[in-house]
Amino acid sequence: QDIMLAGKLDKRRKVAALKSDLAAWNYEKKRLDLITEVRLSFIGAIALQKDIVQLKELLKISNEFLSSVEKRIKVGKVSPAESSRAKVIVSALEIKLNNSRYAYKSVIQQLAKQLGSNKITFKKIKGKLIILNHLPEFGLLKSKLLQSPEIAIYKKVFEKQEAVIELENAKSIPDLTISAGLRRLNQTSNNSFVIGVSIPLPIYNRNQGARQEAVIRLDQKKSEFKAEKNKLVAELTTTYNNLLSLAGSLKKLNKESIPDAQNAFEIIRAGNLLGRFTILDVLDSQKTLFELQSEYLKTLGGYNIQLARLERLIGQNLETIN
């Protein structure tokens, strides 16, 4: 019977327990990665879905204006050149709508695969793109980053490797072997009960190689952690600045650009009824308004994508942070 000395059994149990903890954190990391991938696909699909709705509405109105132009051409009120220019605008809208439909189909297929299906089992998705009323301070987010699964994994790796070092150091102390049994003495034809105790002398092997390897691996992981931490902080900084920039753009578009374009469109449309502006002026102003609305939608989608990436970095929903 071998009897482990220097607490080897407890040290092995500790290493095994830390490996289990490490596996749990790796699972959490993979889980958050999958959730974020689905969120990004969903955000892209929602943005494209809204863009398609706007394009359809604009195309409908533009075709109505084109029909009006063609009627005016027939009665000689406007030049045929206006019809050609209007058709160019309508054609460009049709191309953009077609591209958005194909892009939406691709995103939906990707989303279905992420949900574990090879076929699209839904015709439409529901949801909304959000804007946070308040973005937490960078310092607070940085402190949350240090609690993320990526950082927790390295902390567990350090604990496990330190436990491995302790175990390898303990292995330098040999184990005790106790033996017992019956022995037949042929010379005297007697049976005897024998007990033996042995312990090897570690003269040439004190487990130096394994001990040194364990220490080197710990130093290696510490270097990797430093590089990974710097990378995560840099990514957090970039994502945070992107959010601030996009929030500023959304505010300007919503408060200034779109209302001004909407006002200009209403004025030109009303003036067209009085003969002050042409149909093309109306179409151009409407196109400008739509492009700004489309830019707002695109920026809003980008904002939500950066938001999802930021929440993935810290491993927490921003709305739950005080």
Side-chain angles (χ1 to χ4, degrees):
Q1 174 68 48
D2 292 330
I3 299 177
M4 293 183 181
L5 302 180
K8 292 189 189 72
L9 185 58
D10 289 338
K11 288 178 173 60
R12 284 182 177 176
R13 287 172 176 167
K14 183 177 180 181
V15 171
L18 289 170
K19 283 183 178 180
S20 178
D21 292 343
L22 188 57
W25 276 113
N26 277 307
Y27 169 81
E28 179 65 13
K29 178 179 178 297
K30 293 294 184 182
R31 187 183 71 86
L32 291 176
D33 285 341
L34 179 58
I35 289 173
T36 302
E37 288 176 7
V38 173
R39 283 186 67 185
L40 293 178
S41 297
F42 185 82
I43 290 168
I46 284 290
L48 283 169
Q49 192 170 263
K50 291 180 179 295
D51 187 54
I52 289 171
V53 171
Q54 286 187 354
L55 277 168
K56 284 182 177 179
E57 182 64 24
L58 179 62
L59 189 59
K60 178 183 176 183
I61 297 173
S62 298
N63 279 320
E64 290 174 355
F65 276 120
L66 178 60
S67 178
S68 176
V69 169
E70 290 175 346
K71 288 179 180 179
R72 292 189 180 190
I73 290 173
K74 289 180 180 179
V75 296
K77 290 186 178 182
V78 296
S79 169
E82 290 197 15
S83 175
S84 298
R85 291 171 61 188
K87 286 179 179 179
V88 169
I89 294 176
V90 172
S91 178
L93 289 174
E94 289 174 342
I95 292 172
K96 191 170 184 180
L97 176 59
N98 191 51
N99 290 338
S100 294
R101 281 172 170 165
Y102 277 111
Y104 176 75
K105 185 177 180 180
S106 296
V107 173
I108 286 296
Q109 288 175 338
Q110 180 181 355
L111 183 60
K113 289 182 179 179
Q114 289 170 339
L115 296 175
S117 174
N118 292 324
K119 295 182 180 180
I120 300 174
T121 57
F122 46 88
K123 294 182 179 180
K124 187 177 180 181
I125 58 176
K126 295 182 180 180
K128 63 179 181 179
L129 303 176
I130 65 170
I131 302 177
L132 291 181
N133 294 325
H134 173 70
L135 190 63
E137 296 294 330
F138 180 78
L140 178 58
L141 294 177
K142 187 176 179 181
S143 67
K144 295 295 182 181
L145 177 67
L146 300 179
Q147 302 171 17
S148 66
E150 282 76 8
I151 301 298
I153 285 173
Y154 272 99
K155 288 180 179 179
K156 283 297 175 184
V157 167
F158 295 155
E159 289 182 41
K160 183 191 75 106
Q161 200 57 36
E162 287 169 354
V164 169
I165 291 173
E166 292 179 5
L167 178 59
E168 295 300 340
N169 287 334
K171 286 181 180 179
S172 65
I173 299 173
D175 295 331
L176 181 68
T177 301
I178 298 177
S179 58
L182 290 173
R183 177 178 292 180
R184 176 69 174 175
L185 301 177
N186 293 328
Q187 294 177 352
T188 61
S189 298
N190 292 325
N191 294 325
S192 65
F193 185 76
V194 179
I195 296 178
V197 178
S198 66
I199 184 168
L201 298 177
I203 298 174
Y204 298 107
N205 180 15
R206 298 186 60 85
N207 202 36
Q208 298 97 323
R211 290 159 62 188
Q212 186 177 8
E213 181 185 355
V215 172
I216 291 173
R217 287 189 180 276
L218 178 60
D219 292 338
Q220 181 184 10
K221 290 298 179 181
K222 286 182 177 179
S223 298
E224 289 177 5
F225 171 68
K226 185 177 180 181
E228 181 67 15
K229 181 181 175 182
N230 290 337
K231 176 186 173 182
L232 289 171
V233 171
E235 190 174 348
L236 178 69
T237 303
T238 301
T239 306
Y240 186 81
N241 289 333
N242 287 341
L243 271 172
L244 292 176
S245 175
L246 290 169
S249 298
L250 287 171
K251 184 177 180 181
K252 188 172 183 63
L253 283 167
N254 192 42
K255 298 293 184 181
E256 298 178 20
S257 302
I258 292 178
D260 289 345
Q262 180 71 43
N263 186 49
F265 171 66
E266 295 296 339
I267 291 173
I268 292 173
R269 184 170 63 175
N272 171 257
L273 298 176
L274 300 175
R276 295 176 183 175
F277 298 101
T278 66
I279 292 292
L280 290 177
D281 291 328
V282 178
L283 287 174
D284 283 337
S285 64
Q286 185 187 34
K287 182 182 176 184
T288 300
L289 173 60
F290 166 78
E291 287 175 347
L292 287 172
Q293 291 173 336
S294 181
E295 180 65 24
Y296 178 84
L297 186 58
K298 180 181 177 181
T299 305
L300 183 59
Y303 177 90
N304 279 261
I305 286 174
Q306 294 298 317
L307 187 62
R309 288 175 176 167
L310 182 61
E311 291 181 341
R312 170 62 190 89
L313 282 170
I314 64 175
Q316 188 175 348
N317 193 317
L318 286 180
E319 294 179 336
T320 64
I321 297 177
N322 297 321

